[in-house]
Amino acid sequence: MARQVPTVDEILAGFKSQDRGMLARAITLIESSRPEDANLRNDLLARIQPQTGCSRRVGISGVPGVGKSTFIEALGLKLTSENK
């Protein structure tokens, strides 16, 4: 069974309605390295960027067990404590 990929319009509507499931699907799409997802991913990023204010995309990489998740959580807590 082929996975169903939502349209960019469906993803944007999900964001507006605070649909966590749609946010999860969008994150999966953005992280996808599948060539067939590239156009949809690029369209989503282009359409959502103007609505994000001065947000930034940051990539965190490293070997398993190095502490990426711990770092991301600490960074997120620090930024949200500063209302960012």
Side-chain angles (χ1 to χ4, degrees), residues 10-77:
E10 291 170 332
I11 292 170
L12 293 173
F15 284 168
K16 289 179 184 175
S17 67
Q18 299 180 0
D19 179 338
R20 286 182 167 190
M22 195 59 73
L23 176 60
R25 305 265 317 259
I27 290 169
T28 299
L29 175 66
I30 290 168
E31 291 179 339
S32 174
S33 60
R34 294 168 41 134
E36 58 268 30
D37 290 339
N39 288 336
L40 188 59
R41 174 183 59 242
N42 293 339
D43 187 26
L44 173 61
L45 290 171
R47 290 180 57 189
I48 206 167
Q49 185 65 32
Q51 301 176 42
T52 62
C54 60
S55 68
R56 304 281 191 268
R57 279 187 286 164
V58 177
I60 308 294
S61 64
V63 298
V66 76
K68 296 178 297 292
S69 295
T70 302
F71 171 76
I72 291 167
E73 180 180 6
L75 178 61
L77 290 171

